[in-house]
Short mmCIF file of all heavy atoms in Angstrom, two decimals:
data_model
loop_
_atom_site.label_atom_id
_atom_site.label_comp_id
_atom_site.label_asym_id
_atom_site.label_seq_id
_atom_site.Cartn_x
_atom_site.Cartn_y
_atom_site.Cartn_z
N THR X 1231 16.67 -7.64 3.05
CA THR X 1231 17.16 -8.51 1.98
C THR X 1231 18.00 -9.65 2.56
O THR X 1231 17.89 -10.79 2.12
CB THR X 1231 18.01 -7.71 0.98
OG1 THR X 1231 18.91 -6.86 1.69
CG2 THR X 1231 17.14 -6.87 0.05
N GLU X 1232 18.82 -9.33 3.56
CA GLU X 1232 19.67 -10.36 4.17
C GLU X 1232 18.83 -11.39 4.92
O GLU X 1232 19.03 -12.60 4.81
CB GLU X 1232 20.69 -9.72 5.11
CG GLU X 1232 21.99 -9.37 4.43
CD GLU X 1232 22.41 -10.40 3.39
OE1 GLU X 1232 22.66 -11.57 3.76
OE2 GLU X 1232 22.45 -10.06 2.18
N SER X 1233 17.89 -10.87 5.72
CA SER X 1233 17.01 -11.75 6.48
C SER X 1233 16.22 -12.65 5.54
O SER X 1233 16.07 -13.86 5.77
CB SER X 1233 16.08 -10.87 7.32
OG SER X 1233 15.02 -11.61 7.83
N ALA X 1234 15.74 -12.08 4.42
CA ALA X 1234 14.98 -12.85 3.43
C ALA X 1234 15.86 -13.94 2.82
O ALA X 1234 15.45 -15.09 2.67
CB ALA X 1234 14.45 -11.92 2.35
N ARG X 1235 17.10 -13.55 2.48
CA ARG X 1235 18.00 -14.54 1.86
C ARG X 1235 18.22 -15.72 2.80
O ARG X 1235 18.18 -16.87 2.41
CB ARG X 1235 19.33 -13.87 1.50
CG ARG X 1235 20.30 -14.84 0.81
CD ARG X 1235 21.73 -14.45 1.03
NE ARG X 1235 22.06 -13.15 0.46
CZ ARG X 1235 22.37 -12.98 -0.82
NH1 ARG X 1235 22.36 -14.00 -1.63
NH2 ARG X 1235 22.66 -11.79 -1.26
N GLU X 1236 18.46 -15.42 4.07
CA GLU X 1236 18.71 -16.49 5.05
C GLU X 1236 17.52 -17.44 5.14
O GLU X 1236 17.67 -18.66 5.08
CB GLU X 1236 18.99 -15.88 6.43
CG GLU X 1236 20.35 -15.23 6.55
CD GLU X 1236 20.51 -14.45 7.84
OE1 GLU X 1236 19.72 -14.67 8.80
OE2 GLU X 1236 21.42 -13.60 7.89
N THR X 1237 16.32 -16.85 5.27
CA THR X 1237 15.12 -17.69 5.41
C THR X 1237 14.92 -18.55 4.16
O THR X 1237 14.67 -19.75 4.24
CB THR X 1237 13.89 -16.81 5.63
OG1 THR X 1237 14.12 -15.98 6.76
CG2 THR X 1237 12.64 -17.64 5.85
N LEU X 1238 15.01 -17.92 3.00
CA LEU X 1238 14.69 -18.63 1.75
C LEU X 1238 15.73 -19.69 1.43
O LEU X 1238 15.40 -20.76 0.92
CB LEU X 1238 14.56 -17.63 0.60
CG LEU X 1238 13.40 -16.62 0.77
CD1 LEU X 1238 13.47 -15.53 -0.29
CD2 LEU X 1238 12.05 -17.34 0.72
N THR X 1239 16.99 -19.41 1.76
CA THR X 1239 18.04 -20.38 1.48
C THR X 1239 17.88 -21.61 2.36
O THR X 1239 18.12 -22.74 1.93
CB THR X 1239 19.43 -19.72 1.67
OG1 THR X 1239 19.46 -18.55 0.89
CG2 THR X 1239 20.54 -20.64 1.24
N GLN X 1240 17.45 -21.37 3.62
CA GLN X 1240 17.18 -22.52 4.49
C GLN X 1240 15.98 -23.32 4.00
O GLN X 1240 15.95 -24.53 4.09
CB GLN X 1240 16.87 -22.04 5.91
CG GLN X 1240 18.10 -21.66 6.70
CD GLN X 1240 17.71 -21.31 8.12
OE1 GLN X 1240 17.07 -22.09 8.81
NE2 GLN X 1240 18.09 -20.12 8.54
N LEU X 1241 15.00 -22.58 3.48
CA LEU X 1241 13.77 -23.21 3.03
C LEU X 1241 14.03 -24.09 1.80
O LEU X 1241 13.54 -25.21 1.71
CB LEU X 1241 12.78 -22.10 2.67
CG LEU X 1241 11.31 -22.39 2.60
CD1 LEU X 1241 10.82 -22.96 3.91
CD2 LEU X 1241 10.58 -21.07 2.31
N ASN X 1242 14.79 -23.55 0.86
CA ASN X 1242 15.07 -24.32 -0.36
C ASN X 1242 16.44 -23.94 -0.93
O ASN X 1242 16.56 -22.95 -1.65
CB ASN X 1242 13.99 -24.07 -1.41
CG ASN X 1242 14.15 -25.00 -2.61
OD1 ASN X 1242 15.17 -25.70 -2.73
ND2 ASN X 1242 13.17 -24.99 -3.49
N PRO X 1243 17.45 -24.74 -0.61
CA PRO X 1243 18.81 -24.39 -1.08
C PRO X 1243 18.98 -24.49 -2.59
O PRO X 1243 19.98 -24.03 -3.13
CB PRO X 1243 19.69 -25.43 -0.35
CG PRO X 1243 18.77 -26.53 0.04
CD PRO X 1243 17.41 -25.94 0.21
N HIS X 1244 17.99 -25.07 -3.27
CA HIS X 1244 18.09 -25.19 -4.74
C HIS X 1244 17.77 -23.88 -5.45
O HIS X 1244 17.98 -23.76 -6.65
CB HIS X 1244 17.13 -26.28 -5.26
CG HIS X 1244 17.37 -27.62 -4.66
ND1 HIS X 1244 18.47 -28.38 -4.96
CD2 HIS X 1244 16.68 -28.32 -3.74
CE1 HIS X 1244 18.44 -29.51 -4.27
NE2 HIS X 1244 17.35 -29.49 -3.51
N VAL X 1245 17.19 -22.94 -4.72
CA VAL X 1245 16.76 -21.69 -5.37
C VAL X 1245 17.81 -20.60 -5.13
O VAL X 1245 18.26 -20.39 -4.00
CB VAL X 1245 15.38 -21.25 -4.82
CG1 VAL X 1245 15.08 -19.81 -5.21
CG2 VAL X 1245 14.30 -22.18 -5.35
N GLN X 1246 18.16 -19.93 -6.21
CA GLN X 1246 19.09 -18.82 -6.10
C GLN X 1246 18.33 -17.55 -5.70
O GLN X 1246 17.34 -17.21 -6.34
CB GLN X 1246 19.80 -18.62 -7.45
CG GLN X 1246 20.87 -17.55 -7.40
CD GLN X 1246 21.32 -17.11 -8.78
OE1 GLN X 1246 20.87 -17.65 -9.81
NE2 GLN X 1246 22.19 -16.12 -8.82
N VAL X 1247 18.79 -16.91 -4.64
CA VAL X 1247 18.15 -15.66 -4.20
C VAL X 1247 19.08 -14.51 -4.54
O VAL X 1247 20.26 -14.53 -4.18
CB VAL X 1247 17.87 -15.70 -2.67
CG1 VAL X 1247 17.27 -14.38 -2.21
CG2 VAL X 1247 16.94 -16.86 -2.33
N ILE X 1248 18.55 -13.52 -5.28
CA ILE X 1248 19.36 -12.36 -5.66
C ILE X 1248 18.82 -11.16 -4.90
O ILE X 1248 17.63 -10.83 -5.02
CB ILE X 1248 19.28 -12.11 -7.18
CG1 ILE X 1248 19.78 -13.34 -7.93
CG2 ILE X 1248 20.08 -10.87 -7.57
CD1 ILE X 1248 19.49 -13.29 -9.42
N THR X 1249 19.66 -10.52 -4.10
CA THR X 1249 19.16 -9.39 -3.31
C THR X 1249 19.60 -8.07 -3.93
O THR X 1249 20.72 -7.93 -4.41
CB THR X 1249 19.66 -9.48 -1.86
OG1 THR X 1249 21.08 -9.57 -1.87
CG2 THR X 1249 19.07 -10.68 -1.15
N HIS X 1250 18.67 -7.13 -3.95
CA HIS X 1250 18.96 -5.76 -4.40
C HIS X 1250 18.70 -4.86 -3.20
O HIS X 1250 17.56 -4.47 -2.95
CB HIS X 1250 18.05 -5.37 -5.57
CG HIS X 1250 18.13 -6.32 -6.73
ND1 HIS X 1250 19.06 -6.18 -7.73
CD2 HIS X 1250 17.39 -7.42 -7.05
CE1 HIS X 1250 18.90 -7.16 -8.62
NE2 HIS X 1250 17.89 -7.92 -8.23
N ASP X 1251 19.75 -4.57 -2.47
CA ASP X 1251 19.60 -3.81 -1.23
C ASP X 1251 19.61 -2.31 -1.58
O ASP X 1251 20.59 -1.61 -1.34
CB ASP X 1251 20.74 -4.18 -0.28
CG ASP X 1251 20.72 -3.34 0.98
OD1 ASP X 1251 19.64 -2.80 1.30
OD2 ASP X 1251 21.78 -3.21 1.61
N THR X 1252 18.53 -1.87 -2.17
CA THR X 1252 18.48 -0.48 -2.63
C THR X 1252 17.04 -0.03 -2.70
O THR X 1252 16.13 -0.85 -2.81
CB THR X 1252 19.12 -0.36 -4.03
OG1 THR X 1252 18.97 0.99 -4.50
CG2 THR X 1252 18.45 -1.27 -5.05
N ARG X 1253 16.86 1.28 -2.65
CA ARG X 1253 15.53 1.84 -2.91
C ARG X 1253 15.35 1.84 -4.43
O ARG X 1253 16.27 2.22 -5.17
CB ARG X 1253 15.49 3.27 -2.38
CG ARG X 1253 14.12 3.89 -2.42
CD ARG X 1253 14.23 5.35 -2.02
NE ARG X 1253 14.42 5.55 -0.59
CZ ARG X 1253 13.41 5.65 0.30
NH1 ARG X 1253 12.16 5.56 -0.10
NH2 ARG X 1253 13.66 5.84 1.57
N LEU X 1254 14.20 1.38 -4.90
CA LEU X 1254 13.95 1.39 -6.34
C LEU X 1254 13.62 2.83 -6.75
O LEU X 1254 12.79 3.49 -6.14
CB LEU X 1254 12.75 0.48 -6.64
CG LEU X 1254 12.63 -0.04 -8.06
CD1 LEU X 1254 13.78 -0.96 -8.41
CD2 LEU X 1254 11.30 -0.77 -8.27
N HIS X 1255 14.30 3.33 -7.78
CA HIS X 1255 14.00 4.68 -8.26
C HIS X 1255 14.13 4.71 -9.78
O HIS X 1255 14.50 3.70 -10.39
CB HIS X 1255 14.89 5.72 -7.57
CG HIS X 1255 16.35 5.40 -7.61
ND1 HIS X 1255 17.10 5.52 -8.74
CD2 HIS X 1255 17.17 4.90 -6.65
CE1 HIS X 1255 18.34 5.16 -8.48
NE2 HIS X 1255 18.41 4.76 -7.22
N LYS X 1256 13.86 5.86 -10.36
CA LYS X 1256 13.77 5.89 -11.82
C LYS X 1256 15.10 5.61 -12.51
O LYS X 1256 15.13 5.19 -13.66
CB LYS X 1256 13.16 7.20 -12.30
CG LYS X 1256 14.05 8.41 -12.17
CD LYS X 1256 13.40 9.58 -12.92
CE LYS X 1256 14.36 10.72 -13.00
NZ LYS X 1256 13.93 11.79 -13.85
#
Side-chain angles (χ1 to χ4, degrees):
Chain X
T1231 45
E1232 269 322 297
S1233 166
R1235 182 207 297 278
E1236 286 171 18
T1237 304
L1238 296 171
T1239 307
Q1240 282 185 54
L1241 200 56
N1242 188 351
H1244 302 289
V1245 166
Q1246 184 194 357
V1247 177
I1248 301 169
T1249 55
H1250 304 273
D1251 175 21
T1252 176
R1253 188 187 285 273
L1254 201 66
H1255 51 74
K1256 72 170 189 171

